[in-house]
Amino acid sequence: EPEVTQTPSHQVTQMGQEVILRCVPISNHLYFYWYRQILGQKVEFLVSFYNNEISEKSEIFDDQFSVERPDGSNFTLKIRSTKLEDSAMYFCASSEGGLGPFNEKLFFGSGTQLSVL
Amino acid sequence: GEDVEQSLFLSVREGDSSVINCTYTDSSSTYLYWYKQEPGAGLQLLTYIFSNMDMKQDQRLTVLLNKKDKHLSLRIADTQTGDSAIYFCAESRAGGYQKVTFGTGTKLQVIP
């Protein structure tokens, strides 16, 4: 079965540093997402991306965050100046698009554990 | 805003049935989902149900929806040790790319 690939699986960074989390969505999917899960808390929506622009973003997704699809296969999440509270598991997801739960079904990657020291 | 709540932990004996419960607040929810997360893995969609359905069965999994009470449950028959994981209830509205709102997850422990 096709899968969403995320790299790295673990990222350790110093507070204030920039990090880029990388994702390769499923090749024929049109919608891309980032979610995060702080330890012990809910999986939270960050942003959705379609047709090379942000479709929706949450209040968590402030000016420190940005997303990009630099080429035809990668989808990245950049955090410009990391804070301690950015430590979380970050999940990338993609969906085929169109109406209906099958088309909207999210395929998730296995996540990148970001630790900000 | 939307909210989804679940109990945090459930322990069952192998071979018994497991029932994981969930409540949600968004009356406009169109799809309700159950995701499974195994250690070190991503979120795997187990099953979903339309909001106009009461029940859906898929092999060992049975989903029950009480739309009036906004209550969703997942029953796993003949629970196996391989079913040990965190189970997330989630909801979304229809619309192509609508965000999915997740619950906190219920950790299911299956005792051999």
Side-chain angles (χ1 to χ4, degrees):
Chain A
E1 185 174 75
E3 58 181 29
V4 175
T5 306
Q6 288 187 246
T7 54
S9 56
H10 292 87
Q11 174 90 47
V12 180
T13 190
Q14 295 289 327
M15 191 170 58
Q17 295 295 305
E18 175 184 285
V19 293
I20 298 176
L21 307 182
R22 302 181 192 279
C23 170
V24 179
I26 294 172
S27 59
N28 65 330
H29 284 186
L30 301 178
Y31 295 90
F32 313 112
Y33 312 80
W34 285 100
Y35 285 76
R36 80 173 185 189
Q37 185 181 28
I38 295 172
L39 188 64
Q41 297 185 26
K42 295 184 180 186
V43 177
E44 301 172 293
F45 169 80
L46 292 179
V47 66
S48 60
F49 189 87
Y50 170 70
N51 200 25
N52 281 319
E53 59 183 31
I54 291 173
S55 309
E56 187 175 354
K57 60 182 181 179
S58 70
E59 59 273 14
I60 302 167
F61 195 88
D62 62 20
D63 293 343
Q64 292 300 312
F65 291 87
S66 62
V67 288
E68 193 178 29
R69 189 150 162 85
D71 52 42
S73 60
N74 290 285
F75 179 53
T76 62
L77 175 69
K78 182 193 289 186
I79 309 174
R80 286 192 186 79
S81 177
T82 49
K83 302 188 281 287
L84 295 176
E85 53 265 36
D86 294 327
S87 295
M89 177 73 86
Y90 287 80
F91 292 104
C92 175
S94 67
S95 65
E96 194 173 317
L99 294 177
F102 180 78
N103 293 327
E104 295 172 23
K105 174 181 170 180
L106 298 183
F107 288 79
F108 282 85
S110 55
T112 294
Q113 180 64 55
L114 177 65
S115 298
V116 182
L117 305 179
Chain B
E2 307 88 2
D3 196 19
V4 179
E5 296 292 337
Q6 305 175 235
S7 54
L8 293 179
F9 190 76
L10 177 66
S11 180
V12 298
R13 293 207 172 272
E14 190 175 16
D16 288 351
S17 291
S18 308
V19 179
I20 303 172
N21 294 301
C22 167
T23 56
Y24 61 98
T25 59
D26 187 1
S27 56
S28 298
S29 296
T30 302
Y31 307 122
L32 295 129
Y33 310 87
W34 284 103
Y35 281 84
K36 178 183 181 182
Q37 184 183 30
E38 296 184 48
L43 298 159
Q44 175 198 357
L45 179 64
L46 279 180
T47 187
Y48 64 87
I49 189 169
F50 287 98
S51 60
N52 62 358
M53 296 169 65
D54 297 324
M55 187 183 86
K56 181 179 181 181
Q57 187 150 3
D58 184 1
Q59 299 181 330
R60 291 190 299 122
L61 306 179
T62 303
V63 178
L64 294 177
L65 174 61
N66 181 329
K67 194 175 180 183
K68 175 176 166 290
D69 294 339
K70 298 191 185 71
H71 183 267
L72 184 74
S73 68
L74 173 70
R75 179 177 180 270
I76 305 173
D78 187 26
T79 313
Q80 302 297 307
T81 54
D83 295 324
S84 293
I86 299 176
Y87 290 81
F88 291 91
C89 173
E91 63 86 23
S92 73
R93 301 181 185 182
Y97 65 85
Q98 292 293 334
K99 68 177 183 181
V100 175
T101 300
F102 287 86
T104 48
T106 299
K107 185 171 184 178
L108 174 64
Q109 178 187 48
V110 182
I111 304 166

